[in-house]
Amino acid sequence: MDHIHLIKNRRKQTVFPFTILFEDDYVLAMVKPPGLPTANAPKGTDSLFTLVQRYLPAAAFVGVVSRLDALVSGVVVMAKTKASAAGLSKQFRERSVKKQYRAVCAGRFPAPLGKWVDWYDEVVRPTDPGKQATSKQQHAHVRCRVIKRAAEVCLIELNPSSGRRHQLRTQLAHRGCPIVGDRMYGSRLPFSPGIALHSALLECKHPHTGQEMCFEDPLPGNWKNHFPALF
């Protein structure tokens, strides 16, 4: 089937703090702002999930099939039917979904400008607050390159094939180039809100029609103000 580039369907909501890229009876794709959890927020606080619940009609089904850390911004997809949730979740499990991230990192990226490198790591799954510590390791792969360097920071493109929690944050920090603003993983440079990691693109198949879909939000507008030398 024909490929459709759904960024053209973007519309800005005035009540809810997220941008909708595409919506039909089966799928809702949007841009999550930094500082907002995807789901499972503490009682009495909002998440993208609870905001979508209020945006949709009462009792509508909302299926969380992809997640971003609260500090991370960018493209997120949710399902509007149980069948769509099952179909999309299967694509994520089978790693057929294409994901692209952009990050601004401090330190020296360990590869020449523009050269693609592949990192294969075993990352330790972080422990949720209040839970017993765990040392469970998970396989993580990402293909990445430097797009541009400026003084002590660089703009990175990252294409992970796996989706481990905190994966990109851990892999970059391990190589001495933590994401700007990510104090948990050693960044000393400030950034607000959130951290300088953004889900820029997500490609998957429509769970009902099988049509290829591409959702894109290249960069947050405030990045140009924070890092004028990179843009």
Side-chain angles (χ1 to χ4, degrees):
M1 293 188 178
D2 293 337
H3 182 277
I4 49 177
H5 199 272
L6 297 172
I7 188 69
K8 295 178 181 178
N9 292 344
R10 175 197 301 260
R11 66 180 187 273
K12 184 69 175 179
Q13 298 295 323
T14 58
V15 178
F16 299 97
F18 54 82
T19 299
I20 291 182
L21 300 175
F22 173 78
E23 181 182 4
D24 64 7
D25 291 337
Y26 307 93
V27 177
L28 178 63
M30 69 217 88
V31 180
K32 185 185 82 67
L36 182 71
T38 304
N40 301 324
K43 186 176 181 179
T45 61
D46 277 326
S47 67
L48 188 61
F49 173 75
T50 61
L51 292 176
V52 169
Q53 282 184 314
R54 295 205 293 270
Y55 164 74
L56 295 176
F61 178 85
V62 181
V64 179
V65 298
S66 66
R67 295 172 183 261
L68 295 176
D69 295 343
L71 297 175
V72 180
S73 60
V75 179
V76 174
V77 173
M78 290 189 181
K80 295 177 67 177
T81 69
K82 291 183 179 180
S84 297
L88 289 169
S89 296
K90 184 174 185 289
Q91 293 181 55
F92 279 96
R93 284 196 309 272
E94 295 177 348
R95 300 184 181 181
S96 61
V97 176
K98 179 181 177 181
K99 296 173 285 184
Q100 182 188 106
Y101 289 76
R102 297 291 172 91
V104 176
C105 300
R108 187 73 177 177
F109 187 84
L113 184 69
K115 180 181 179 180
W116 287 101
V117 293
D118 288 273
W119 295 341
Y120 298 90
D121 298 299
E122 294 294 326
V123 297
V124 177
R125 181 177 180 177
T127 304
D128 292 326
K131 293 186 178 180
Q132 187 176 359
T134 177
S135 59
K136 182 179 180 181
Q137 291 187 324
Q138 299 175 318
H139 174 72
H141 166 256
V142 63
R143 192 165 191 253
C144 48
R145 64 169 177 152
V146 179
I147 298 173
K148 188 173 183 179
R149 288 191 172 104
E152 60 181 335
V153 296
C154 53
L155 178 64
I156 309 294
E157 179 181 339
L158 304 120
N159 299 308
S161 65
S162 52
R164 308 308 183 190
R165 187 180 175 198
H166 291 201
Q167 174 186 328
L168 302 180
R169 298 166 66 181
T170 303
Q171 289 181 295
L172 287 164
H174 177 69
R175 290 166 173 83
C177 46
I179 296 168
V180 172
D182 196 356
R183 296 188 179 277
M184 176 181 288
Y185 290 101
S187 173
R188 297 182 179 181
L189 297 178
F191 186 81
S192 181
I195 62 176
L197 178 62
H198 183 75
S199 171
L201 180 146
L202 191 151
E203 290 185 2
C204 61
K205 290 184 178 181
H206 193 284
H208 182 69
T209 67
Q211 189 172 26
E212 295 285 346
M213 302 185 295
C214 177
F215 308 116
E216 185 175 7
D217 187 68
L219 281 177
N222 68 320
W223 280 28
K224 294 181 180 180
N225 297 328
H226 277 281
F227 313 106
L230 290 176
F231 301 100

